[in-house]
Amino acid sequence: MEHSNTDGPVLVAVEDPAHVQQLVRTAGDLARARSGAVRLVTVLVKPYDSPFGVFDDETILRNFSGDSRELLAKAKPPEGVVVERDVVVARSVAGGVLKAVGETAPSALVVGWLGLSRRSDAVFGTTVDKLIEKAPCDVYVERIGQEANGVDSILVPVAGGPHVEAAAAVASAIADRNDARILVYSVATPSFGTEGAREFVEAGSDTVKMTPPFGGPIETKIETADDATTAIIEESAAHDIVVLGATRKGPLRRRLVGSVAKQVVARTDTTVILARDADVVRTPLQRLGELLRR
């Protein structure tokens, strides 16, 4: 299976030099299976109520982008991947990243996340939430600071929904580079029986098998438990990375992100990557245009 729009670079939104290499490593794995290019972007924010805002964008880039360019230069290019670097000017970080997405048409966007937001209406924080909701490409949110020290096993919990392909794409890319195994996993609960869990596991396993470049071992497992989230958290301890497809129920943020992801991140030290498929944002006209360009 070839995921949509694989010709564009993998875009990485960068804010902190301490986080650059972790995100670039994931982006590099994705890029090897796609265009072979990673584009690092940092945003110079031009607030409306700041004296900084009176300068035009070109002046700001020419005179005030030194620190940002130094930040981007710290990233060590992954082997076999071309790394490009860019600084954009915008009224907000989210606006700047979305501007870069619009200008470069990336195959995917990789962003970092430090931890749970304290705001009741924000799941990952307002910037990341906006990118999840609006970026018209695959989006991968990786928890910063919880980086796997070598990867032997990747857990991919599945429960249907539109994000399985995006989850399979990043799991396949990481597993291929590390010669790791992938476990496709589902939970049968009292309200959701074994047959449904089996269908999810079979469909998820088929998706991973058809998603290049990985050709290694793909295993499946069905767990019977009273609570699916608790079962995923307990299973995650045996793996180096958990790749969660965004869930599909409830209001917009909960449909795109979901309470499962929040609880897994809060209750495990495993590296967690949330995958959100582009097709939940792209319009039918955009999808038709992509098909015509193939």
Side-chain angles (χ1 to χ4, degrees), residues 2 12 50 59 65 99 105 153-155 162 246 260 262 266 268 279:
E2 182 178 352
V12 182
S50 168
T59 300
S65 64
K99 176 182 177 182
S153 181
I154 301 171
L155 177 66
V260 174
K262 291 177 63 178
T268 180
D279 282 346

Side-chain angles (χ1 to χ4, degrees), residues 12-16 19-20 22-23 109-119 122-129 131-132 139-147 242 244 257-268 270-275:
V12 182
V14 178
E15 288 189 80
D16 189 320
H19 308 153
V20 172
Q22 179 178 348
L23 299 179
L109 169 65
V110 177
V111 297
W113 173 49
L114 286 172
L116 294 171
S117 171
R118 295 182 179 180
R119 284 183 48 169
V123 178
F124 288 121
T126 54
T127 295
V128 177
D129 281 359
L131 297 176
I132 291 173
V139 176
Y140 296 99
V141 181
E142 181 169 353
R143 177 169 54 172
I144 291 298
Q146 300 291 343
E147 184 178 7
V242 179
L244 292 167
V257 179
S259 60
V260 174
K262 291 177 63 178
Q263 292 186 55
V264 170
V265 167
R267 295 164 58 187
T268 180
T270 307
T271 299
V272 176
I273 300 174
L274 180 87

Side-chain angles (χ1 to χ4, degrees), residues 3-8 34 105-108 136-137 282 290 293-294:
H3 204 57
S4 57
N5 187 29
T6 56
D7 292 335
R34 301 186 178 201
S107 62
C137 60
R282 283 198 291 256
E290 289 175 359
R293 288 194 296 271
R294 289 184 179 180

Side-chain angles (χ1 to χ4, degrees), residues 7 37 49-50 65 71 78 108 142 145 151 163 201 247-248 261 266 276 284 294:
D7 292 335
D49 57 354
S50 168
S65 64
L71 163 62
E142 181 169 353
V151 180
H163 307 286
V201 159
T247 53
R248 60 181 177 178
R276 195 229 65 193
R294 289 184 179 180

Side-chain angles (χ1 to χ4, degrees), residues 130-185:
K130 288 178 181 176
L131 297 176
I132 291 173
E133 292 179 11
K134 296 181 178 181
C137 60
D138 289 351
V139 176
Y140 296 99
V141 181
E142 181 169 353
R143 177 169 54 172
I144 291 298
Q146 300 291 343
E147 184 178 7
N149 183 20
V151 180
D152 295 316
S153 181
I154 301 171
L155 177 66
V156 183
V158 291
H163 307 286
V164 177
E165 286 189 24
V170 74
S172 174
I174 295 173
D176 185 70
R177 177 176 64 87
N178 291 277
D179 294 324
R181 73 179 183 117
I182 295 175
L183 177 67
V184 181
Y185 175 86

Side-chain angles (χ1 to χ4, degrees), residues 227-288:
D227 180 72
T229 303
T230 299
I232 292 170
I233 291 167
E234 291 176 352
E235 178 65 32
S236 70
H239 304 270
D240 302 298
I241 296 177
V242 179
V243 179
L244 292 167
T247 53
R248 60 181 177 178
K249 296 180 180 179
L252 180 61
R253 281 193 178 91
R254 195 163 296 278
R255 182 171 71 247
L256 291 177
V257 179
S259 60
V260 174
K262 291 177 63 178
Q263 292 186 55
V264 170
V265 167
R267 295 164 58 187
T268 180
D269 292 331
T270 307
T271 299
V272 176
I273 300 174
L274 180 87
R276 195 229 65 193
D277 196 282
D279 282 346
V280 301
V281 176
R282 283 198 291 256
T283 67
L285 184 60
Q286 287 173 314
R287 291 196 289 271
L288 176 60

